Structure formats: C-alpha cells, structure tokens
Amino acid sequence: MVFRKIGKKIANFAETVADRTKFAMISIGYLLKRPKYLASFLISLFVFLFILSFFKDGSGNWALLCSGIPFGAKMALLGRVCVGILDNFTDLYGILIILLSLLQALTIMLLIFAWRNRKKDFALDGASTGGIGAIFGFVALGCPTCGISLLTPILTAIAGTAGAMAAAESVSRILTILAFFLLIYTVIRLGYVSFITISSKNYKEKKHAKSN
C-alpha cells in the first residue's frame, strides 16, 4: 500500500513535469516567432557563448586583454574568440557550453517577457535561480581553471593536498549538473507562467474581438 502511494505520487509528479514542460515549449516557440523576443534570445545566446568561450581555457585571454599589447592585437584576440565559438561544436565540452548558453538565453528571454507582463515576482525568482545556475555554469565550464583555483584551497583543507585536484574535478562535474538542473527548472517554470499569460491574453483578445 505504501509503495503504491509513493509510486502514484511519483507518477503524478512526472505527469505534472511533462505537462509543464510541454506548455513551456509551446510558449517558447510562440515568443521565438516574435522579432523582439527572438532578438533578445539571439543577443543573449551570443553574449553567453562569447563569455564562456573566452574563459573556457582559463584566465589567459583576460590577462592578455588587460596587458600592454597593442589595441589591434586585442581586437584580433576578441576576433579569434568569436571564430572560436564554432569550435564548440567539435567536442563534448563545447557542446555543454552551447547547451548551457542556450538555456541561459532562453531564461533571459522568458525573464523579459515575465517582467514586461507584470509577473515581477516570477521574474525576480527566475532571475535568482537562473543567476545561481549561470554562476555554477561559469565556474564549471566557462572558467574551469578559475573555478578549480577557487575551490582548491577549500578542498585542500578537507581532502588534503593529494586529493584536492581530484576532488575539484568531481565538484566541477557536480556544479555542471546543478547548473543545468537550475536553468532547466527556471526555463520550465517561467515558460509555464508565460504559457498561462499568453493564453489569457489571447482569450481576452478573442473575447474583445467578438464583442465588437
């Protein structure tokens, strides 16, 4: 009896998640057909791809950019990073960066829609959760060297010098999983709220059109 109740609760939860995910995808598709939201998505996607690609090999590019090299060399460096974005399609690490950037761009688009439609509580909550996911993603993927250097002193005190680097890599994987989980949760939640808002607006518009 107990296991049956637990199984039923799990099934109901899975069904709810599936339904909300479906509705979220519908609202995302609707917004991507609107030029201003498509523009916000594409701009956000490029920005996140650029930042994560810029730092994916550590802080070397940042050190060069802040150094005394000529301005033309700095522009060339930024140009190589832009071209290097395409390299993300060639390996698993790069694919993770692309997926993380896509989720972050969708989050920004949905946050803009929620804010514009007076869903400020949902927007602030989504910004908070999505922001944490973005930080985790940056530490784990966008700047793994920086992340490990930040984590190593803490892990050295816990696991000792020998196990610190191995522990840092494990923590990095955990942060990556958390980043994706938080961003997916944010996208589904904001997408579902957007679906309700869009449906309500469409219903009111149809009702108003019939009355006229």
Side-chain angles (χ1 to χ4, degrees):
M1 181 66 71
V2 175
F3 290 110
R4 184 179 298 176
K5 288 182 178 179
I6 294 174
K8 188 174 181 179
K9 287 182 179 180
I10 293 174
N12 290 337
F13 175 77
E15 185 178 354
T16 300
V17 172
D19 287 341
R20 295 199 173 196
T21 301
K22 180 180 68 176
F23 294 140
M25 294 302 294
I26 292 172
S27 64
I28 288 171
Y30 177 88
L31 293 178
L32 288 175
K33 293 177 182 178
R34 300 298 183 270
K36 57 185 176 182
Y37 292 109
L38 176 61
S40 68
F41 169 77
L42 293 176
I43 292 171
S44 301
L45 178 61
F46 175 77
V47 169
F48 283 116
L49 277 173
F50 181 86
I51 293 174
L52 293 178
S53 298
F54 186 86
F55 286 102
K56 74 176 183 179
D57 295 322
S59 56
N61 285 334
W62 179 253
L64 280 174
L65 196 63
C66 296
S67 67
I69 62 175
F71 178 78
K74 292 181 179 180
M75 292 298 100
L77 171 63
L78 296 178
R80 286 197 299 273
V81 173
C82 290
V83 174
I85 289 174
L86 298 176
D87 293 336
N88 290 324
F89 291 93
T90 62
D91 56 61
L92 178 60
Y93 187 80
I95 295 298
L96 290 175
I97 286 178
I98 292 170
L99 292 176
L100 190 68
S101 299
L102 282 170
L103 289 171
Q104 289 173 334
L106 288 174
T107 298
I108 294 296
M109 181 186 72
L110 291 167
L111 284 173
I112 293 172
F113 179 79
W115 191 268
R116 286 174 59 89
N117 287 273
R118 300 178 182 178
K119 303 292 183 180
K120 294 185 178 181
D121 290 340
F122 289 103
L124 291 173
D125 183 56
S128 177
T129 308
I132 295 173
I135 292 171
F136 285 167
F138 176 77
V139 171
L141 293 175
C143 192
T145 305
C146 308
I148 290 175
S149 65
L150 290 170
L151 294 170
T152 299
I154 301 172
L155 296 172
T156 299
I158 298 173
T161 305
M165 291 303 294
E169 291 181 4
S170 298
V171 171
S172 180
R173 294 191 187 96
I174 293 172
L175 290 179
T176 302
I177 293 171
L178 286 175
F180 278 103
F181 175 80
L182 289 172
L183 287 169
I184 289 172
Y185 166 78
T186 303
V187 168
I188 292 175
R189 188 162 188 262
L190 287 174
Y192 179 67
V193 172
S194 298
F195 175 81
I196 294 174
T197 304
I198 293 168
S199 299
S200 177
K201 288 177 64 176
N202 289 341
Y203 174 77
K204 289 179 180 178
E205 288 175 359
K206 289 180 180 179
K207 187 176 181 180
H208 180 72
K210 287 181 180 180
S211 64
N212 291 335

